[in-house]
Amino acid sequence: MSDITATDTVVDPQPAAEVAQSAPVIEVKTGVKDFEAAFTFVEQGVAQLGSAAKDELKALAQKYL
């Protein structure tokens, strides 16, 4: 049998600078005064109207809650 030598090599696929640039961008939006009320409003609205209405319900919650 032949002798096979294996070595462990650590390869960094992206340098740290590139990782920082590709991090997700988080939009800052205005919040609601009562998070629990807004969450409940959206949750109940989705239950009644379906998930297609979720974005509109969130917009209404931001505007009125």
Side-chain angles (χ1 to χ4, degrees), residues 31 35 43 45 61:
F35 176 78
E43 192 174 54

Side-chain angles (χ1 to χ4, degrees), residues 37-61:
F39 181 77
T40 302
F41 172 78
V42 173
E43 192 174 54
Q44 290 176 354
V46 168
Q48 293 290 319
L49 303 171
S51 61
K54 189 174 187 177
D55 290 334
E56 291 179 44
L57 290 165
K58 287 193 285 186
L60 288 170

Side-chain angles (χ1 to χ4, degrees), residues 7 16 25 31 35 50:
T7 59
V25 176
F35 176 78

Side-chain angles (χ1 to χ4, degrees), residues 3-58:
D3 292 328
I4 299 175
T5 304
T7 59
D8 291 332
T9 305
V10 177
V11 178
D12 187 7
Q14 290 182 322
E18 287 183 30
V19 172
Q21 290 176 351
S22 65
V25 176
I26 300 171
E27 285 187 43
V28 176
K29 298 181 180 181
T30 57
V32 294
K33 293 176 186 171
D34 185 355
F35 176 78
E36 288 292 324
F39 181 77
T40 302
F41 172 78
V42 173
E43 192 174 54
Q44 290 176 354
V46 168
Q48 293 290 319
L49 303 171
S51 61
K54 189 174 187 177
D55 290 334
E56 291 179 44
L57 290 165
K58 287 193 285 186

